[in-house]
């Protein structure tokens, strides 16, 4: 089991975070219209996903806004913002914030968090996704990954975007 911190307090994370060079496992996540989205739905494109506990917190919301702003300039690439928030909450946030350059996906009925090694296994946030970024090439090979050391911190946006 991996460990990160939340404002300095240890937090256990379940699963194994994909390493550079590995093939990304498939996933099935819920889209805003409650349809299922899999890795195959983004075939042939470079992908970056941004996981976080909840869009209803300041740092999480900022990560979505930042990736939305940066994603507008990307070619043949998509940014997936992934949390356990229900698709309705994600849509409400995106509508209020004018977010339209990223794809919001929910883990609420999937094993994504454990399969990708981002499931918070301890603390009051148990069951949510920890803060992490993963960049995949068009063939779903891992090019870059960051399991953010402290959930309260933002990811290194520039490192992910350089690779993407």
């Amino acid at each position: 089991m991996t460990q990160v911190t939340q404002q300095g307090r240890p937090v256990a994370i379940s699963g194994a975070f994909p390493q550079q060079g590995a093939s990304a496992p498939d996933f099935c996540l819920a889209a805003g219209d409650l349809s299922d989205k899999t890795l195959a739905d983004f075939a042939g494109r470079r992908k970056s996903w941004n996981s976080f506990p909840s869009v209803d917190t300041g740092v999480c919301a900022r990560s979505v806004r930042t990736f939305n702003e940066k994603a507008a300039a990307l070619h043949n690439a998509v940014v997936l913002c992934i949390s356990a928030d229900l698709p309705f909450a994600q849509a409400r946030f995106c509508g209020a914030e004018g977010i339209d350059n990223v794809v919001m996906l929910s883990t609420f009925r999937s094993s994504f968090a454990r399969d990708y090694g981002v499931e918070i296994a301890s603390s009051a946030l148990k069951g949510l996704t920890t803060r992490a970024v993963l960049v995949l090439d068009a063939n779903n090979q891992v090019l870059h990954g960051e399991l953010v050391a402290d959930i309260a911190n933002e990811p290194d946006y520039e490192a992910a975007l350089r690779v993407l």
Side-chain angles (χ1 to χ4, degrees):
M1 195 170 282
T2 306
Q3 183 175 298
V4 297
T5 59
Q6 181 181 4
Q7 297 179 325
R9 293 181 305 276
V11 174
I13 305 297
S14 295
F17 190 66
Q19 299 300 306
Q20 188 171 342
S23 289
D26 198 11
F27 60 70
C28 185
L29 296 165
D33 62 0
L34 299 179
S35 65
D36 290 336
K37 291 293 181 187
T38 67
L39 199 52
D41 289 312
F42 306 99
R45 297 170 76 185
R46 293 172 293 138
K47 295 156 278 293
S48 178
W49 60 252
N50 167 39
S51 72
F52 49 89
S54 174
V55 76
D56 287 325
T57 66
V59 176
C60 299
R62 195 165 36 257
S63 73
V64 173
R65 284 187 208 103
T66 300
F67 275 114
N68 182 69
E69 178 186 319
K70 305 288 186 180
L74 299 175
H75 301 288
N76 195 37
V78 61
V79 175
L80 311 174
C81 290
I82 302 169
S83 70
D85 294 301
L86 291 176
F88 315 113
Q90 292 175 338
R92 181 186 68 244
F93 171 80
C94 290
E97 296 283 334
I99 305 288
D100 58 5
N101 295 318
V102 298
V103 177
M104 299 296 287
L105 297 170
S106 175
T107 65
F108 87 98
R109 60 180 180 215
S110 80
S111 61
F112 173 88
R114 181 174 296 263
D115 295 346
Y116 272 86
V118 294
E119 180 182 50
I120 298 173
S122 66
S123 90
L125 299 179
K126 184 177 181 177
L128 300 180
T129 54
T130 193
R131 191 170 319 287
V133 174
L134 196 71
V135 178
L136 309 175
D137 70 11
N139 297 311
N140 302 323
Q141 297 298 303
V142 176
L143 300 175
H144 169 79
E146 178 189 10
L147 190 61
V148 179
D150 192 297
I151 296 169
N153 295 337
E154 293 180 65
D156 184 346
Y157 303 108
E158 294 309 317
L161 292 166
R162 267 193 310 274
V163 175
L164 188 59

